[in-house]
Amino acid sequence: MNAIKFAARAFIRQLKSGEVLVLIAAISLAVGALTAVGFLTDRISISIERQANELLAADLRIRSAEAIPEDWIKTASDMDLDSALTQTFPTVVYAQDNTALATIKAVSTQYPLRGNVRISEKQYGDEYIANSIPDINSVWVDGALLSRLQVKVGDSISIGNADFKIGAVLRYRPDQAIGFASLAPSILMNISAIVSTDLINEGSRVNYSLLVAGEEPSIEKYTKDLEGMLTDSARISDRTDSNERTNQAINRAQQFLSMTAIISILLSAIAIAMSARRFMRRRMDSVALMKSLGAKKQFVVYVMTLQLTMIGLVGVFLGCLMGFVVENSISSMLASLFAGDLPEPSLRPLKIGFLAAFILLPGFALPSLMQLSATSPLRVLRKDSLPIPPSQFIVAVTAISAIGLLLYYLIGDAYLLSIILIGAIVISGALYLVGRLLIVLLSQLRGNLGVSWRYGLANIARRGRESAIQIVAFGLGLTVLLLLSFIRNDLLIGWQETLNENTPNYFLINIQPKERAGVTNIFDEFDIAKPDFVPLVRARMSLINNEDVKSRSYPEERGQWMANREANLTWSNTINASNKIVEGEWWPENYSGTPLVSVEESAAIDMGVTIGDTLTFFVAGENVQATIANIRQVDWNSFQPNFFMVFSSNALESSPMTFITSLRLNNDQSDVFNKLLVSYPTISVVDLEPIVQQIQQIIDKVSLAIQIVFIFTMAAGVTVLFSAVHSTIDERRFESALLRALGMKKSMVLLSLLSEFSAIGLAAGLLAAIGSSILAWQITDRLFDLQYAFNLFLWLQGLFGGWVLVCFSGYLATRVAIKSSPIGVLRNN
């Protein structure tokens, strides 16, 4: 007989059977979760990356100390990329008898390519989005500069040899710096007006930039083509260089979504494995009959493989449909929060869903298929004739290989994958041992309980190995769900703490030592808490281990830039609260020995330096050498004054320095800057509020996405628990029928089943809570670099919720067995 026709007919006939439907549901949910998460992650990631690109005002920025060559602009145009030019330089501006240092930002008409410039009609008036750049006769001026020059919108100021009308107050531009290099307030002007100022001549110090934006493939090709044309003074920046705080939020969100995909796959794999076991058992009689009628083993394997393939295809189709519908619904809800329609995703999630189904299905169903093919024809006459189960080693290797291959292909994060897989293997072993121990204990305790409880607990002991496997399935399902809950909680709390109500929204820069007392008095006058003044010393690194920094080789290109740039240094006797030592030790507060320096972790890696190396800086005409004493992690999200290099006080306290500080002001306290800037015109005020708001928007978006994906993954967990119970439905139907035939009421039968699930659920839930807490601690600390906080309420909530979930899933799966007619069930068996 044709195997394909036979398999197709059998498949259609068996579609109504519970094990096939649960198997299809498990595959559909795996594919649906992966495709929905994949589509959603694609669209959110693109949207967030575009917003992150606003910090460059483009997708790509090329900065140079020389004028941008026409070839670079033409190449961008040939690739249908948008481009804009900027020129940045400091100069002194005049207004009647007042003068002030300002940073000129001259831009072409296309600026900005990403994001918006925001302006206002008054210094503290309502802001709005600018539709264009200033015309050649006007400029937009930073509010701090208005206070220094004592002018307002509509007045004129002199820049070089030209006069310009102040057209608006410049409140925000996408690529404004928030670091300590921004010592002067900004003026935004039309690049065509630069010629009239006569400020740029041969030898002038100007930073030229070419901004480029467009589709990702074209940007990548342009970057590659441009590398061969770059001069020594040019440097390319993209989103990854734009802002450490934004990148950290995005990276953590992507890691969480990756972990969600891993957990969805693990849950679906468990559901497939449990459903495949029942699929195998329900096919034993059919296989025995086929063999007794002359069917060969190869034919049986072929037919069963075809049936599994059909199940897989139906599961893939339904899963992709489910993923598309779910993601489309979620995206519609999120569109308003993401400032318009989300970008279109790629088709990669569909490919991933297909691969998931056809890697997980054979990987977790193959052992059952092997056992099924070994069914003896004798089973036609003897129902107790069972095939020899496959080697546990083969089962474990097949399953782990399948899931490991799939996850590594999808995630590519070997560290995250290893933590979860090793944790799952260890917890599985512990769950199995707990299951066996529980069987021994219950066999001794059940005699002292009521009839229903005694019978329910006896079921656990009687099934032995099957009960232990169920505990493993329940426990793993609960473990990954609790793990997701713990990490989601820590991640959201960490983000909330990052940008809380006390986050600084202003930097004060270039405070002279003699001005600190006066600045403090002004703050006292406005009832503002005295800020902490942090010393800042300008210097340039000259030697690393007595080797010239210009000729030295570096592990990373960024290391060469960092070693050769003009650096901002500080000194301190104590470590900043937002810093953490990862290697070495901090020096004592009264340290007076050889000068020491602390280096930020990424800077040390990029420059290839470690504890014990010496760094030499040229500071105010003198060489200062210091030995690296420790390596620090810096929480750039704190918006506190943080530095790549922090020295011991005896190294820099005699050097020329200025001071900086950060503070938090309410809107009604901003008047303090009028008096501050008039009294101390050399002080620069950097408004962090636009940057804080932008990062807050990104965090809000990824937090919402994580919440939605979390709920979707919880649905996968319910399916796993349901399939674990459903794998023993035939036995439970027969047992229920037998008990009812002997006179036991339905309520008593139900109570006996619930007592069994309660014991299994509590055992699995307890170990799952312990295991997930340990895994969450490792992942939170090592991967997300967050402080793990044990939450007893969440732990107990998870334990209780897991127990309820197991009992509820057990009830849903077994209620049919309880309601089945005893006569019909007994006749069929």
Side-chain angles (χ1 to χ4, degrees):
M1 184 178 182
N2 187 293
I4 297 178
K5 286 185 179 179
F6 183 84
R9 288 176 182 175
F11 172 71
I12 293 171
R13 186 170 59 252
Q14 296 162 0
L15 268 179
K16 292 184 179 180
S17 66
E19 75 281 356
V20 172
L21 292 178
V22 173
L23 192 53
I24 290 175
I27 297 169
S28 299
L29 199 61
V31 175
L34 284 174
T35 51
V37 170
F39 281 136
L40 190 62
T41 303
D42 260 15
R43 300 179 78 170
I44 290 176
S45 294
I46 293 170
S47 176
I48 291 173
E49 285 176 7
R50 285 184 179 177
Q51 185 167 0
N53 287 344
E54 291 182 15
L55 301 176
L56 292 174
D59 295 331
L60 197 72
R61 179 179 65 195
I62 302 97
R63 290 196 294 186
S64 174
E66 304 168 358
I68 302 296
E70 287 294 330
D71 289 349
W72 298 4
I73 304 171
K74 185 177 183 305
T75 302
S77 178
D78 291 343
M79 294 183 180
D80 293 327
L81 295 171
D82 297 325
S83 63
L85 292 171
T86 72
Q87 296 175 9
T88 308
F89 57 90
T91 189
V92 175
V93 296
Y94 304 86
Q96 298 178 354
D97 296 330
N98 299 314
T99 63
L101 181 67
T103 298
I104 302 296
K105 183 78 172 184
V107 299
S108 61
T109 53
Q110 297 86 355
Y111 175 90
L113 301 180
R114 296 284 185 229
N116 297 290
V117 175
R118 299 200 292 269
I119 56 177
S120 63
E121 300 297 333
K122 299 179 180 178
Q123 185 165 356
Y124 300 108
D126 294 335
E127 62 182 45
Y128 58 92
I129 295 175
N131 296 321
S132 62
I133 65 170
D135 59 47
I136 59 173
N137 297 313
S138 65
V139 292
W140 296 341
V141 178
D142 191 303
L145 193 60
L146 296 179
S147 297
R148 291 183 185 181
L149 295 175
Q150 298 182 25
V151 292
K152 61 183 183 298
V153 174
D155 293 343
S156 293
I157 59 173
S158 298
I159 304 176
N161 294 330
D163 293 332
F164 296 89
K165 178 184 176 181
I166 301 175
V169 180
L170 179 62
R171 301 297 295 273
Y172 171 77
R173 56 182 175 85
D175 55 345
Q176 68 185 35
I178 64 170
F180 309 140
S182 306
L183 298 181
S186 297
I187 295 177
L188 191 72
M189 65 185 301
N190 196 308
I191 201 169
S192 300
I194 288 293
V195 176
S196 65
T197 66
D198 198 28
L199 287 173
I200 299 180
N201 300 293
E202 186 175 351
S204 298
R205 294 188 62 182
V206 181
N207 288 321
Y208 297 88
S209 294
L210 171 63
L211 307 181
V212 180
E215 297 299 323
E216 187 65 27
S218 299
I219 290 291
E220 290 179 359
K221 186 176 185 306
Y222 180 73
T223 304
K224 187 175 180 180
D225 292 348
L226 196 65
E227 286 176 353
M229 298 187 285
L230 288 180
T231 59
D232 293 339
S233 64
R235 184 171 181 262
I236 298 178
S237 299
D238 59 14
R239 178 187 64 82
T240 58
D241 303 312
S242 61
N243 191 282
E244 186 76 24
R245 302 168 179 87
T246 303
N247 291 334
Q248 190 179 65
I250 294 172
N251 291 338
R252 283 178 177 172
Q254 289 174 337
Q255 285 174 326
F256 183 88
L257 292 174
S258 295
M259 190 180 67
T260 304
I262 292 175
I263 287 173
S264 297
I265 292 173
L266 284 173
L267 289 169
S268 302
I270 298 169
I272 290 172
M274 298 301 292
S275 301
R277 293 176 75 246
R278 188 183 179 219
F279 179 86
M280 177 270 298
R281 290 181 178 179
R282 290 293 294 266
R283 299 298 173 274
M284 282 184 183
D285 291 342
S286 300
V287 170
L289 184 59
M290 290 167 62
K291 285 188 173 183
S292 66
L293 294 175
K296 295 182 179 180
K297 183 177 180 178
Q298 292 84 345
F299 180 82
V300 172
V301 172
Y302 188 35
V303 168
M304 294 303 162
T305 302
L306 285 173
Q307 287 191 32
L308 282 176
T309 303
M310 293 173 188
I311 290 172
L313 289 173
V314 173
V316 167
F317 173 76
L318 293 177
C320 289
L321 184 62
M322 181 197 308
F324 178 78
V325 171
V326 170
E327 187 278 331
N328 207 43
S329 301
I330 294 173
S331 296
S332 299
M333 292 188 292
L334 294 179
S336 59
L337 296 174
F338 280 77
D341 294 335
L342 287 169
E344 289 300 318
S346 67
L347 295 178
R348 185 172 179 267
L350 293 178
K351 176 184 175 184
I352 290 173
F354 184 85
L355 282 174
F358 286 97
I359 290 177
L360 289 179
L361 189 58
F364 283 82
L366 183 61
S368 296
L369 185 62
M370 291 168 57
Q371 186 177 4
L372 182 61
S373 65
T375 302
S376 170
L378 185 62
R379 183 174 171 81
V380 174
L381 301 175
R382 292 184 57 185
K383 295 294 185 181
D384 60 347
S385 177
L386 297 174
I388 299 173
S391 165
Q392 296 298 314
F393 177 78
I394 294 176
V395 173
V397 169
T398 304
I400 293 172
S401 298
I403 204 164
L405 175 68
L406 176 63
L407 290 176
Y408 186 75
Y409 172 77
L410 297 181
I411 309 302
D413 191 333
Y415 188 69
L416 173 62
L417 185 58
S418 63
I419 290 178
I420 293 181
L421 281 184
I422 292 172
I425 292 169
V426 171
I427 291 171
S428 297
L431 284 166
Y432 187 79
L433 292 175
V434 167
R436 303 300 289 186
L437 179 62
L438 183 66
I439 292 164
V440 175
L441 291 175
L442 292 179
S443 63
Q444 298 175 1
L445 296 175
R446 67 176 185 268
N448 300 322
L449 302 173
V451 175
S452 297
W453 280 90
R454 185 165 64 245
Y455 181 78
L457 298 182
N459 272 345
I460 298 176
R462 182 168 50 81
R463 288 196 176 92
R465 179 172 174 270
E466 293 296 321
S467 296
I469 290 174
Q470 274 198 327
I471 289 176
V472 172
F474 283 134
L476 275 180
L478 292 174
T479 296
V480 292
L481 289 177
L482 287 176
L483 172 65
L484 202 63
S485 301
F486 289 145
I487 294 179
R488 160 186 161 272
N489 189 61
D490 286 338
L491 198 57
L492 295 179
I493 289 175
W495 278 338
Q496 291 168 1
E497 290 177 351
T498 292
L499 297 178
N500 55 38
E501 60 182 10
N502 296 318
T503 299
N505 56 357
Y506 287 98
F507 271 139
L508 297 186
I509 302 175
N510 203 31
I511 304 170
Q512 300 299 319
K514 61 183 180 181
E515 295 174 338
R516 285 187 295 170
V519 170
T520 300
N521 291 335
I522 292 176
F523 284 143
D524 288 341
E525 182 181 334
F526 284 82
D527 197 25
I528 297 172
K530 175 187 174 182
D532 295 325
F533 295 99
V534 180
L536 185 148
V537 178
R538 305 286 288 179
R540 188 175 289 275
M541 191 185 299
S542 56
L543 302 173
I544 297 178
N545 292 330
N546 296 319
E547 184 180 356
D548 193 302
V549 294
K550 294 181 179 179
S551 58
R552 189 175 186 270
S553 60
Y554 299 89
E556 301 289 341
E557 181 181 348
R558 184 169 175 265
Q560 181 175 9
W561 168 79
M562 184 162 288
N564 285 274
R565 72 190 182 106
E566 188 174 18
N568 297 305
L569 310 178
T570 191
W571 54 265
S572 177
N573 290 325
T574 58
I575 186 170
N576 190 309
S578 62
N579 292 196
K580 181 175 71 173
I581 300 292
V582 295
E583 188 178 351
E585 295 181 355
W586 194 262
W587 45 84
E589 286 194 34
N590 56 353
Y591 180 78
S592 60
T594 303
L596 300 176
V597 62
S598 173
V599 183
E600 191 269 341
E601 186 178 29
S602 65
I605 293 171
D606 292 340
M607 292 190 296
V609 297
T610 187
I611 292 176
D613 290 345
T614 58
L615 306 179
T616 303
F617 284 84
F618 190 69
V619 184
E622 297 183 0
N623 286 321
V624 175
Q625 186 181 76
T627 303
I628 298 177
N630 58 71
I631 308 295
R632 288 170 296 119
Q633 277 185 353
V634 175
D635 181 11
W636 300 105
N637 285 323
S638 66
F639 283 89
Q640 301 290 340
N642 276 309
F643 296 79
F644 287 106
M645 309 280 180
V646 179
F647 286 73
S648 56
S649 59
N650 62 328
L652 296 176
E653 62 182 353
S654 60
S655 302
M657 68 185 71
T658 58
F659 288 86
I660 63 172
T661 189
S662 63
L663 64 157
R664 176 79 187 183
L665 296 183
N666 300 323
N667 292 333
D668 56 356
Q669 295 177 313
S670 56
D671 288 343
V672 68
F673 293 131
N674 285 328
K675 183 167 185 178
L676 182 69
L677 294 175
V678 170
S679 303
Y680 303 103
T682 59
I683 294 177
S684 292
V685 178
V686 180
D687 186 358
L688 300 178
E689 193 63 36
I691 304 298
V692 172
Q693 290 176 359
Q694 188 174 42
I695 294 174
Q696 184 65 64
Q697 288 173 5
I698 291 174
I699 288 176
D700 288 344
K701 291 174 184 178
V702 295
S703 298
L704 182 59
I706 281 172
Q707 299 277 43
I708 293 170
V709 171
F710 171 76
I711 293 171
F712 192 75
T713 307
M714 293 294 287
V718 175
T719 301
V720 169
L721 301 178
F722 184 83
S723 64
V725 175
H726 208 276
S727 64
T728 60
I729 192 68
D730 294 326
E731 296 175 38
R732 298 183 187 281
R733 183 180 287 115
F734 177 75
E735 291 167 358
S736 298
L738 189 59
L739 289 173
R740 289 181 60 197
L742 293 174
M744 184 178 282
K745 296 180 180 180
K746 284 185 182 180
S747 58
M748 299 291 285
V749 175
L750 177 61
L751 184 59
S752 68
L753 290 174
L754 289 179
S755 66
E756 178 184 349
F757 293 133
S758 293
I760 291 176
L762 286 173
L766 179 62
L767 203 59
I770 296 171
S772 59
S773 298
I774 296 172
L775 280 175
W777 165 51
Q778 289 294 308
I779 292 174
T780 302
D781 181 64
R782 295 176 180 270
L783 191 68
F784 291 102
D785 195 26
L786 292 169
Q787 187 69 34
Y788 174 70
F790 177 75
N791 188 324
L792 180 60
F793 177 74
L794 189 63
W795 195 85
L796 293 174
Q797 191 178 40
L799 177 61
F800 178 76
W803 168 65
V804 171
L805 203 56
V806 170
C807 290
F808 179 68
S809 301
Y811 170 74
L812 288 179
T814 57
R815 63 177 180 169
V816 176
I818 299 172
K819 293 179 180 179
S820 299
S821 170
I823 296 176
V825 173
L826 294 175
R827 280 177 178 174
N828 291 330
N829 286 270

